[in-house]
Amino acid sequence: MSVAEKPLTRLDDLPLSLYVHLPWCVRKCPYCDFNSHALHGEIPAGAYVDALLRDLDFDLESLAVRPLVSVFLGGGTPSLFDPHAIARLIEGIGQRLSGVADAEITLEANPGSADAGRFRGYRVAGVNRISLGVQSFDDASLARLGRIHDSAEARRAFTAARRAGFDNINLDLMYGLPGQRVVDAVADVAVAVDLAPEHLSVYQLTLEPGTPFHRRPPPLPDHDSLWDMHTALEAALAAGGYARYEVSAYARAGWRCVHNENYWAFGDYLGVGAGAHAKLSGAGGVRRTRKVRSPRAFMDCAGKPTCLAGARTLTRGELGFEFLLNALRLTEGFAIATFRERTGLAPAAIEAPLRRACERGWLSRDEHRIRPTATGYRFLDDVLELFLPPPP
Ligand SMILES: C[S@@+](CC[C@H](N)C(=O)[O-])C[C@H]1O[C@@H](n2cnc3c(N)ncnc32)[C@H](O)[C@@H]1O
Ligand code: SF4
Protein backbone atom coordinates (compact mmCIF):
# COMPACT_ATOMS: atom_id res chain seq x y z
CA MET A 1 0.00 0.00 0.00
CA SER A 2 1.43 3.40 -0.92
CA VAL A 3 1.56 6.14 1.71
CA ALA A 4 -1.17 8.01 -0.15
CA GLU A 5 -3.55 5.06 0.29
CA LYS A 6 -5.31 4.29 3.51
CA PRO A 7 -7.56 1.41 4.49
CA LEU A 8 -11.29 1.84 3.94
CA THR A 9 -13.01 3.99 6.48
CA ARG A 10 -14.14 2.23 9.62
CA LEU A 11 -17.49 0.55 9.04
CA ASP A 12 -19.28 2.78 11.47
CA ASP A 13 -18.22 5.93 9.59
CA LEU A 14 -20.09 5.28 6.34
CA PRO A 15 -23.78 6.15 5.99
CA LEU A 16 -25.96 3.02 5.95
CA SER A 17 -29.25 2.52 4.09
CA LEU A 18 -31.60 -0.45 3.93
CA TYR A 19 -33.34 -1.63 0.76
CA VAL A 20 -36.29 -4.00 1.22
CA HIS A 21 -37.69 -5.79 -1.84
CA LEU A 22 -41.42 -6.58 -2.02
CA PRO A 23 -41.70 -8.56 -5.25
CA TRP A 24 -45.37 -8.83 -6.26
CA CYS A 25 -47.47 -6.79 -8.73
CA VAL A 26 -51.08 -7.07 -9.91
CA ARG A 27 -49.67 -7.92 -13.32
CA LYS A 28 -46.36 -7.62 -15.08
CA CYS A 29 -45.86 -4.51 -17.26
CA PRO A 30 -44.47 -5.40 -20.71
CA TYR A 31 -41.41 -3.10 -20.39
CA CYS A 32 -40.38 -4.12 -16.86
CA ASP A 33 -37.36 -6.30 -16.04
CA PHE A 34 -37.39 -5.74 -12.28
CA ASN A 35 -37.68 -8.80 -10.06
CA SER A 36 -41.46 -8.50 -9.94
CA HIS A 37 -44.02 -11.27 -10.23
CA ALA A 38 -47.72 -11.21 -11.14
CA LEU A 39 -49.71 -12.09 -8.06
CA HIS A 40 -51.89 -15.20 -8.23
CA GLY A 41 -54.26 -15.24 -5.27
CA GLU A 42 -53.58 -13.66 -1.87
CA ILE A 43 -50.30 -11.94 -1.06
CA PRO A 44 -48.46 -13.96 1.64
CA ALA A 45 -47.87 -10.72 3.56
CA GLY A 46 -47.35 -12.17 7.06
CA ALA A 47 -45.02 -14.98 5.95
CA TYR A 48 -43.03 -12.62 3.72
CA VAL A 49 -42.53 -10.03 6.48
CA ASP A 50 -41.33 -12.85 8.80
CA ALA A 51 -38.89 -13.93 6.08
CA LEU A 52 -37.63 -10.34 5.61
CA LEU A 53 -36.87 -10.00 9.31
CA ARG A 54 -35.07 -13.39 9.36
CA ASP A 55 -33.06 -12.21 6.35
CA LEU A 56 -32.17 -8.97 8.14
CA ASP A 57 -31.09 -10.92 11.25
CA PHE A 58 -28.82 -13.00 9.04
CA ASP A 59 -27.21 -9.88 7.51
CA LEU A 60 -26.75 -8.22 10.89
CA GLU A 61 -24.74 -11.19 12.21
CA SER A 62 -21.77 -9.90 10.20
CA LEU A 63 -22.31 -6.13 10.43
CA ALA A 64 -21.11 -3.67 13.04
CA VAL A 65 -24.10 -1.78 14.41
CA ARG A 66 -24.55 1.71 12.95
CA PRO A 67 -27.61 3.89 12.45
CA LEU A 68 -29.71 3.86 9.29
CA VAL A 69 -30.11 7.05 7.27
CA SER A 70 -32.85 5.64 5.04
CA VAL A 71 -35.12 2.68 4.35
CA PHE A 72 -36.57 2.06 0.87
CA LEU A 73 -39.50 -0.34 0.50
CA GLY A 74 -39.32 -1.05 -3.23
CA GLY A 75 -40.68 -3.51 -5.68
CA GLY A 76 -42.61 -4.82 -7.27
CA THR A 77 -45.58 -3.04 -5.77
CA PRO A 78 -45.13 -2.58 -2.01
CA SER A 79 -48.56 -0.90 -1.82
CA LEU A 80 -50.08 -4.37 -2.27
CA PHE A 81 -49.00 -5.03 1.33
CA ASP A 82 -51.56 -3.86 3.85
CA PRO A 83 -50.51 -1.19 6.40
CA HIS A 84 -50.43 -3.71 9.29
CA ALA A 85 -47.79 -5.77 7.49
CA ILE A 86 -45.76 -2.63 6.71
CA ALA A 87 -46.09 -1.48 10.36
CA ARG A 88 -44.78 -4.85 11.60
CA LEU A 89 -41.91 -4.65 9.13
CA ILE A 90 -40.85 -1.12 10.17
CA GLU A 91 -41.22 -2.02 13.84
CA GLY A 92 -39.03 -5.08 13.29
CA ILE A 93 -36.38 -2.99 11.52
CA GLY A 94 -36.48 -0.49 14.41
CA GLN A 95 -35.89 -3.30 16.93
CA ARG A 96 -32.78 -4.38 15.05
CA LEU A 97 -31.19 -1.11 13.89
CA SER A 98 -30.93 2.39 15.32
CA GLY A 99 -31.77 5.63 13.52
CA VAL A 100 -35.11 4.40 12.12
CA ALA A 101 -37.15 7.08 13.90
CA ASP A 102 -35.19 9.82 12.08
CA ALA A 103 -34.61 7.98 8.78
CA GLU A 104 -36.22 8.76 5.43
CA ILE A 105 -38.62 5.81 4.91
CA THR A 106 -39.96 5.53 1.35
CA LEU A 107 -42.67 3.19 0.10
CA GLU A 108 -43.27 2.66 -3.63
CA ALA A 109 -46.96 2.75 -4.48
CA ASN A 110 -48.91 2.02 -7.63
CA PRO A 111 -51.87 4.37 -8.24
CA GLY A 112 -53.97 1.29 -9.07
CA SER A 113 -53.41 -0.38 -5.71
CA ALA A 114 -53.45 2.35 -3.07
CA ASP A 115 -56.40 4.24 -1.62
CA ALA A 116 -56.79 6.94 1.04
CA GLY A 117 -57.16 4.41 3.88
CA ARG A 118 -53.96 2.62 2.90
CA PHE A 119 -51.97 5.85 2.69
CA ARG A 120 -53.15 6.85 6.19
CA GLY A 121 -52.14 3.42 7.45
CA TYR A 122 -48.66 3.68 5.90
CA ARG A 123 -48.15 7.11 7.47
CA VAL A 124 -49.09 5.74 10.90
CA ALA A 125 -46.77 2.78 10.28
CA GLY A 126 -43.83 5.21 10.00
CA VAL A 127 -43.51 5.65 6.23
CA ASN A 128 -42.63 9.33 5.59
CA ARG A 129 -42.08 9.39 1.80
CA ILE A 130 -44.27 7.99 -0.98
CA SER A 131 -42.98 7.22 -4.46
CA LEU A 132 -45.89 6.96 -6.85
CA GLY A 133 -45.44 5.10 -10.17
CA VAL A 134 -47.41 7.38 -12.48
CA GLN A 135 -45.37 6.99 -15.72
CA SER A 136 -47.65 9.29 -17.77
CA PHE A 137 -50.83 11.32 -17.43
CA ASP A 138 -51.99 10.32 -20.91
CA ASP A 139 -54.56 7.49 -20.84
CA ALA A 140 -53.66 6.13 -24.29
CA SER A 141 -49.96 5.95 -23.27
CA LEU A 142 -50.85 4.26 -19.98
CA ALA A 143 -52.89 1.65 -21.87
CA ARG A 144 -50.01 1.00 -24.30
CA LEU A 145 -47.69 0.56 -21.30
CA GLY A 146 -50.06 -2.07 -19.88
CA ARG A 147 -50.60 -0.03 -16.70
CA ILE A 148 -53.45 -1.02 -14.35
CA HIS A 149 -54.49 2.60 -13.71
CA ASP A 150 -55.52 5.66 -15.70
CA SER A 151 -54.51 9.28 -15.31
CA ALA A 152 -57.48 10.18 -13.07
CA GLU A 153 -56.51 7.40 -10.63
CA ALA A 154 -52.95 8.71 -10.54
CA ARG A 155 -54.17 12.19 -9.60
CA ARG A 156 -56.52 10.74 -6.99
CA ALA A 157 -53.71 8.67 -5.49
CA PHE A 158 -51.50 11.77 -5.25
CA THR A 159 -54.26 13.76 -3.50
CA ALA A 160 -54.98 10.83 -1.17
CA ALA A 161 -51.31 10.61 -0.18
CA ARG A 162 -51.20 14.35 0.52
CA ARG A 163 -54.36 14.20 2.61
CA ALA A 164 -52.92 11.29 4.55
CA GLY A 165 -50.15 13.65 5.69
CA PHE A 166 -47.31 12.88 3.29
CA ASP A 167 -45.25 16.05 2.82
CA ASN A 168 -42.60 14.21 0.79
CA ILE A 169 -43.90 12.63 -2.42
CA ASN A 170 -42.04 11.50 -5.52
CA LEU A 171 -43.69 10.81 -8.87
CA ASP A 172 -42.06 8.40 -11.34
CA LEU A 173 -42.57 9.45 -14.96
CA MET A 174 -41.20 7.89 -18.13
CA TYR A 175 -40.59 9.61 -21.47
CA GLY A 176 -39.75 8.33 -24.93
CA LEU A 177 -43.00 6.34 -24.86
CA PRO A 178 -44.44 4.57 -27.93
CA GLY A 179 -45.73 7.22 -30.37
CA GLN A 180 -44.90 10.08 -27.95
CA ARG A 181 -44.08 13.54 -29.36
CA VAL A 182 -42.11 16.27 -27.61
CA VAL A 183 -45.35 18.17 -26.81
CA ASP A 184 -46.86 15.05 -25.22
CA ALA A 185 -43.87 14.53 -22.94
CA VAL A 186 -43.90 18.20 -21.93
CA ALA A 187 -47.65 17.97 -21.25
CA ASP A 188 -47.01 15.04 -18.85
CA VAL A 189 -44.42 17.03 -16.96
CA ALA A 190 -46.73 20.07 -16.83
CA VAL A 191 -49.42 18.02 -15.06
CA ALA A 192 -46.82 16.69 -12.64
CA VAL A 193 -45.49 20.19 -11.87
CA ASP A 194 -49.07 21.35 -11.31
CA LEU A 195 -49.55 18.70 -8.64
CA ALA A 196 -46.40 20.05 -6.93
CA PRO A 197 -44.71 16.91 -5.56
CA GLU A 198 -41.40 17.43 -3.77
CA HIS A 199 -39.49 15.16 -6.15
CA LEU A 200 -39.76 13.81 -9.69
CA SER A 201 -37.93 10.85 -11.23
CA VAL A 202 -38.06 11.05 -15.01
CA TYR A 203 -36.76 7.95 -16.79
CA GLN A 204 -36.27 7.37 -20.48
CA LEU A 205 -38.16 4.18 -21.41
CA THR A 206 -35.61 1.47 -22.22
CA LEU A 207 -36.22 -1.85 -23.96
CA GLU A 208 -34.88 -4.43 -21.51
CA PRO A 209 -33.82 -7.88 -22.75
CA GLY A 210 -36.31 -10.60 -21.83
CA THR A 211 -39.35 -8.29 -21.80
CA PRO A 212 -42.27 -8.37 -24.28
CA PHE A 213 -41.31 -4.81 -25.43
CA HIS A 214 -37.82 -6.09 -26.28
CA ARG A 215 -39.18 -9.04 -28.24
CA ARG A 216 -41.70 -6.93 -30.19
CA PRO A 217 -40.52 -3.31 -29.92
CA PRO A 218 -43.25 -0.68 -30.14
CA PRO A 219 -42.55 2.36 -32.37
CA LEU A 220 -40.37 4.61 -30.20
CA PRO A 221 -39.24 8.22 -30.81
CA ASP A 222 -35.93 8.49 -32.70
CA HIS A 223 -32.65 9.63 -31.16
CA ASP A 224 -33.06 13.31 -32.10
CA SER A 225 -36.63 13.50 -30.77
CA LEU A 226 -35.47 11.90 -27.53
CA TRP A 227 -32.80 14.55 -27.17
CA ASP A 228 -35.29 17.35 -27.89
CA MET A 229 -37.74 15.77 -25.47
CA HIS A 230 -35.19 15.62 -22.70
CA THR A 231 -34.04 19.20 -23.29
CA ALA A 232 -37.65 20.43 -23.18
CA LEU A 233 -38.46 18.37 -20.08
CA GLU A 234 -35.46 19.64 -18.17
CA ALA A 235 -36.35 23.25 -19.05
CA ALA A 236 -40.01 22.79 -18.04
CA LEU A 237 -38.95 21.19 -14.76
CA ALA A 238 -36.42 23.94 -14.00
CA ALA A 239 -39.11 26.59 -14.70
CA GLY A 240 -41.41 24.70 -12.30
CA GLY A 241 -38.81 24.81 -9.51
CA TYR A 242 -37.28 21.33 -9.91
CA ALA A 243 -33.50 21.24 -10.17
CA ARG A 244 -31.90 18.23 -11.82
CA TYR A 245 -29.37 16.72 -9.41
CA GLU A 246 -28.91 13.28 -10.99
CA VAL A 247 -29.37 11.77 -14.47
CA SER A 248 -33.10 11.08 -13.84
CA ALA A 249 -33.80 12.88 -10.55
CA TYR A 250 -35.26 16.35 -9.99
CA ALA A 251 -36.15 17.94 -6.67
CA ARG A 252 -37.44 21.11 -5.10
CA ALA A 253 -34.83 22.68 -2.81
CA GLY A 254 -34.29 20.54 0.27
CA TRP A 255 -36.15 17.46 -1.00
CA ARG A 256 -33.52 15.27 -2.64
CA CYS A 257 -33.91 11.54 -2.04
CA VAL A 258 -31.62 10.60 0.85
CA HIS A 259 -31.71 6.91 -0.06
CA ASN A 260 -30.73 7.26 -3.70
CA GLU A 261 -28.15 9.94 -2.91
CA ASN A 262 -26.49 7.45 -0.59
CA TYR A 263 -26.27 4.93 -3.49
CA TRP A 264 -24.82 7.56 -5.83
CA ALA A 265 -22.31 8.75 -3.25
CA PHE A 266 -21.10 5.12 -2.87
CA GLY A 267 -22.45 4.82 0.66
CA ASP A 268 -23.30 1.40 2.12
CA TYR A 269 -26.62 -0.43 1.98
CA LEU A 270 -28.12 -3.64 3.20
CA GLY A 271 -30.54 -5.45 0.89
CA VAL A 272 -33.19 -7.78 2.22
CA GLY A 273 -35.86 -9.66 0.29
CA ALA A 274 -36.04 -11.66 -2.94
CA GLY A 275 -33.24 -10.65 -5.32
CA ALA A 276 -32.10 -7.72 -3.12
CA HIS A 277 -28.57 -6.39 -3.63
CA ALA A 278 -26.26 -5.01 -0.94
CA LYS A 279 -22.95 -3.13 -0.83
CA LEU A 280 -20.96 -3.03 2.38
CA SER A 281 -17.47 -1.71 3.13
CA GLY A 282 -15.09 -3.08 5.71
CA ALA A 283 -11.49 -3.82 6.50
CA GLY A 284 -11.50 -6.52 3.77
CA GLY A 285 -12.71 -4.12 1.06
CA VAL A 286 -16.08 -3.47 -0.57
CA ARG A 287 -18.35 -6.50 -0.83
CA ARG A 288 -21.41 -6.83 -3.05
CA THR A 289 -24.04 -9.51 -2.36
CA ARG A 290 -27.39 -10.55 -3.79
CA LYS A 291 -30.17 -12.79 -2.50
CA VAL A 292 -32.06 -15.52 -4.41
CA ARG A 293 -34.56 -14.01 -6.85
CA SER A 294 -37.59 -16.30 -6.52
CA PRO A 295 -40.00 -15.07 -3.81
CA ARG A 296 -40.98 -18.64 -2.90
CA ALA A 297 -37.36 -19.82 -2.65
CA PHE A 298 -36.52 -16.68 -0.65
CA MET A 299 -39.24 -17.38 1.91
CA ASP A 300 -37.87 -20.93 2.33
CA CYS A 301 -34.21 -19.96 2.80
CA ALA A 302 -34.50 -16.57 4.56
CA GLY A 303 -32.21 -16.45 7.58
CA LYS A 304 -29.83 -19.12 6.20
CA PRO A 305 -26.63 -18.73 4.16
CA THR A 306 -28.32 -20.55 1.23
CA CYS A 307 -30.30 -17.37 0.52
CA LEU A 308 -27.10 -15.69 -0.70
CA ALA A 309 -27.11 -16.13 -4.48
CA GLY A 310 -23.82 -14.29 -4.99
CA ALA A 311 -21.11 -12.44 -3.09
CA ARG A 312 -17.88 -10.86 -4.24
CA THR A 313 -15.28 -8.38 -3.10
CA LEU A 314 -14.48 -5.68 -5.65
CA THR A 315 -10.97 -5.56 -7.10
CA ARG A 316 -8.97 -2.34 -6.84
CA GLY A 317 -9.73 -1.46 -10.47
CA GLU A 318 -13.45 -2.16 -10.06
CA LEU A 319 -13.58 0.00 -6.93
CA GLY A 320 -12.51 3.17 -8.73
CA PHE A 321 -14.76 2.44 -11.70
CA GLU A 322 -17.84 1.63 -9.61
CA PHE A 323 -17.38 4.74 -7.52
CA LEU A 324 -17.32 6.86 -10.70
CA LEU A 325 -20.22 4.93 -12.25
CA ASN A 326 -22.35 6.15 -9.35
CA ALA A 327 -20.84 9.51 -8.42
CA LEU A 328 -20.71 10.92 -11.97
CA ARG A 329 -24.49 10.50 -12.18
CA LEU A 330 -24.71 13.45 -9.79
CA THR A 331 -24.68 16.87 -11.50
CA GLU A 332 -22.37 18.14 -8.74
CA GLY A 333 -19.94 15.25 -9.13
CA PHE A 334 -17.99 14.31 -6.02
CA ALA A 335 -15.48 15.52 -3.45
CA ILE A 336 -12.01 14.04 -3.85
CA ALA A 337 -12.06 13.35 -0.10
CA THR A 338 -15.17 11.19 -0.58
CA PHE A 339 -13.44 9.20 -3.33
CA ARG A 340 -10.55 8.52 -0.98
CA GLU A 341 -12.79 7.74 1.99
CA ARG A 342 -15.13 5.33 0.18
CA THR A 343 -12.72 3.47 -2.07
CA GLY A 344 -9.60 3.53 0.11
CA LEU A 345 -7.70 4.52 -3.05
CA ALA A 346 -5.46 7.50 -3.60
CA PRO A 347 -6.75 9.91 -6.27
CA ALA A 348 -3.54 9.01 -8.17
CA ALA A 349 -5.23 5.66 -8.98
CA ILE A 350 -7.47 7.45 -11.52
CA GLU A 351 -5.10 10.28 -12.50
CA ALA A 352 -4.34 9.17 -16.08
CA PRO A 353 -7.96 8.70 -17.29
CA LEU A 354 -9.00 11.76 -15.25
CA ARG A 355 -6.48 13.92 -17.11
CA ARG A 356 -7.71 12.57 -20.46
CA ALA A 357 -11.36 13.29 -19.51
CA CYS A 358 -10.43 16.86 -18.46
CA GLU A 359 -8.45 17.42 -21.69
CA ARG A 360 -11.47 16.36 -23.72
CA GLY A 361 -13.66 18.82 -21.81
CA TRP A 362 -15.79 16.05 -20.21
CA LEU A 363 -14.82 16.59 -16.58
CA SER A 364 -13.65 19.64 -14.67
CA ARG A 365 -11.72 19.66 -11.41
CA ASP A 366 -10.47 21.95 -8.72
CA GLU A 367 -8.56 21.21 -5.56
CA HIS A 368 -11.57 19.61 -3.85
CA ARG A 369 -14.11 18.35 -6.41
CA ILE A 370 -14.48 16.59 -9.75
CA ARG A 371 -17.58 17.42 -11.81
CA PRO A 372 -18.98 16.35 -15.15
CA THR A 373 -19.19 19.25 -17.66
CA ALA A 374 -22.38 19.70 -19.72
CA THR A 375 -20.76 17.72 -22.57
CA GLY A 376 -19.45 15.04 -20.22
CA TYR A 377 -22.90 14.68 -18.68
CA ARG A 378 -24.42 14.19 -22.11
CA PHE A 379 -21.88 11.49 -23.04
CA LEU A 380 -21.48 9.83 -19.65
CA ASP A 381 -20.92 6.36 -21.17
CA ASP A 382 -17.92 7.66 -23.14
CA VAL A 383 -16.52 9.31 -20.02
CA LEU A 384 -16.86 6.12 -17.98
CA GLU A 385 -15.24 4.04 -20.71
CA LEU A 386 -11.98 5.88 -19.97
CA PHE A 387 -12.07 4.50 -16.41
CA LEU A 388 -12.95 0.87 -17.23
CA PRO A 389 -10.84 -1.55 -15.17
CA PRO A 390 -8.53 -3.87 -17.13
CA PRO A 391 -10.10 -7.34 -17.73
CA PRO A 392 -9.15 -9.83 -14.96
C1 LIG B 1 -39.45 -0.77 -9.66
S1 LIG B 1 -40.51 0.34 -10.44
C2 LIG B 1 -41.57 0.45 -9.03
C3 LIG B 1 -42.79 1.30 -9.15
C4 LIG B 1 -44.12 0.59 -9.24
N1 LIG B 1 -43.97 -0.81 -9.29
C5 LIG B 1 -44.81 1.05 -10.49
O1 LIG B 1 -44.40 0.64 -11.56
O2 LIG B 1 -45.77 1.78 -10.34
C6 LIG B 1 -39.67 1.90 -10.42
C7 LIG B 1 -39.78 2.74 -11.67
O3 LIG B 1 -38.88 2.31 -12.66
C8 LIG B 1 -39.30 2.84 -13.90
N2 LIG B 1 -39.11 1.79 -14.93
C9 LIG B 1 -39.46 0.49 -14.87
N3 LIG B 1 -39.12 -0.13 -16.03
C10 LIG B 1 -38.55 0.80 -16.84
C11 LIG B 1 -37.99 0.79 -18.16
N4 LIG B 1 -37.96 -0.32 -18.91
N5 LIG B 1 -37.49 1.95 -18.65
C12 LIG B 1 -37.50 3.08 -17.91
N6 LIG B 1 -38.01 3.15 -16.67
C13 LIG B 1 -38.52 2.03 -16.14
C14 LIG B 1 -40.75 3.24 -13.75
O4 LIG B 1 -40.86 4.64 -13.82
C15 LIG B 1 -41.11 2.72 -12.37
O5 LIG B 1 -42.03 3.54 -11.73
S1 SF4 C 1 -45.94 -2.30 -11.58
FE1 SF4 C 1 -43.80 -1.53 -11.52
S2 SF4 C 1 -42.54 -3.25 -10.75
FE2 SF4 C 1 -44.59 -4.07 -11.29
S3 SF4 C 1 -44.32 -4.88 -13.35
FE3 SF4 C 1 -45.07 -2.76 -13.56
S4 SF4 C 1 -43.21 -1.46 -13.66
FE4 SF4 C 1 -42.58 -3.48 -12.93
Side-chain angles (χ1 to χ4, degrees):
M1 197 185 324
S2 79
V3 275
E5 289 181 35
K6 60 172 191 165
L8 283 165
T9 322
R10 283 191 5 249
L11 264 176
D12 51 5
D13 282 350
L14 273 197
L16 180 70
S17 293
L18 168 65
Y19 176 78
V20 182
H21 194 69
L22 304 161
W24 290 282
C25 293
V26 171
R27 68 169 185 243
K28 185 88 184 171
C29 303
Y31 55 86
C32 175
D33 81 333
F34 285 89
N35 184 27
S36 58
H37 304 261
L39 184 63
H40 303 292
E42 283 288 295
I43 203 156
Y48 194 75
V49 168
D50 288 341
L52 288 170
L53 294 175
R54 287 201 301 279
D55 193 29
L56 182 56
D57 282 334
F58 172 78
D59 285 351
L60 293 180
E61 279 171 21
S62 52
L63 184 83
V65 179
R66 45 187 164 145
L68 285 177
V69 295
S70 65
V71 178
F72 196 97
L73 310 179
T77 304
S79 54
L80 287 175
F81 281 68
D82 68 78
H84 296 296
I86 298 296
R88 201 158 67 77
L89 174 60
I90 294 175
E91 198 186 323
I93 295 168
Q95 286 161 353
R96 290 161 174 80
L97 281 153
S98 63
V100 176
D102 300 318
E104 175 192 90
I105 304 183
T106 303
L107 177 132
E108 280 187 333
N110 185 309
S113 64
D115 55 29
R118 278 211 163 191
F119 281 124
R120 277 195 297 275
Y122 295 142
R123 188 73 198 87
V124 172
V127 176
N128 51 31
R129 183 173 185 268
I130 289 288
S131 178
L132 206 54
V134 169
Q135 322 310 347
S136 169
F137 287 100
D138 175 65
D139 286 341
S141 290
L142 290 171
R144 277 195 289 268
L145 291 173
R147 299 293 295 180
I148 59 165
H149 57 89
D150 61 15
S151 160
E153 269 175 290
R155 292 166 199 248
R156 272 200 298 277
F158 178 84
T159 309
R162 269 283 188 256
R163 289 210 180 116
F166 284 100
D167 62 357
N168 190 0
I169 304 180
N170 168 62
L171 302 184
D172 280 345
L173 290 178
M174 294 195 294
Y175 73 96
L177 306 180
Q180 194 178 43
R181 300 163 303 167
V182 176
V183 284
D184 305 322
V186 172
D188 269 349
V189 162
V191 179
V193 169
D194 230 34
L195 289 173
E198 283 62 40
H199 193 284
L200 281 158
S201 299
V202 186
Y203 303 107
Q204 183 189 326
L205 176 69
T206 51
L207 300 181
E208 301 296 336
T211 62
F213 267 24
H214 192 262
R215 284 192 289 280
R216 284 177 303 282
L220 296 181
D222 62 28
H223 194 265
D224 287 349
S225 312
L226 284 171
W227 180 252
D228 293 345
M229 229 175 244
H230 189 267
T231 308
L233 291 180
E234 194 176 349
L237 286 164
Y242 296 87
R244 185 186 194 192
Y245 68 99
E246 188 266 349
V247 173
S248 310
Y250 300 77
R252 277 163 43 189
W255 294 102
R256 292 179 178 196
C257 174
V258 173
H259 188 82
N260 286 338
E261 270 207 308
N262 190 36
Y263 288 164
W264 297 320
F266 215 53
D268 278 0
Y269 53 94
L270 290 156
V272 301
H277 291 237
K279 176 236 158 200
L280 293 164
S281 320
V286 173
R287 198 169 120 94
R288 289 200 180 278
T289 58
R290 61 190 160 82
K291 305 282 170 49
V292 294
R293 274 175 74 84
S294 145
R296 190 48 61 191
F298 169 77
M299 285 196 282
D300 289 342
C301 66
K304 300 184 210 132
T306 44
C307 244
L308 266 186
R312 63 187 299 267
T313 300
L314 299 185
T315 64
R316 203 170 171 276
E318 287 170 334
L319 257 179
F321 178 72
E322 290 209 11
F323 178 92
L324 292 163
L325 189 67
N326 286 283
L328 290 179
R329 294 181 65 92
L330 292 163
T331 52
E332 290 163 6
F334 60 91
I336 293 164
T338 309
F339 174 83
R340 191 191 282 275
E341 174 194 273
R342 298 190 181 184
T343 61
L345 300 173
I350 54 166
E351 181 54 32
L354 185 58
R355 192 173 316 127
R356 271 197 296 280
C358 290
E359 281 162 7
R360 289 180 194 181
W362 292 347
L363 296 180
S364 71
R365 67 166 148 183
D366 59 28
E367 213 185 315
H368 303 293
R369 285 194 86 78
I370 293 169
R371 291 184 176 82
T373 61
T375 315
Y377 212 49
R378 181 172 176 185
F379 301 107
L380 220 39
D381 288 347
D382 296 313
V383 181
L384 288 167
E385 209 170 301
L386 295 177
F387 295 90
L388 270 175

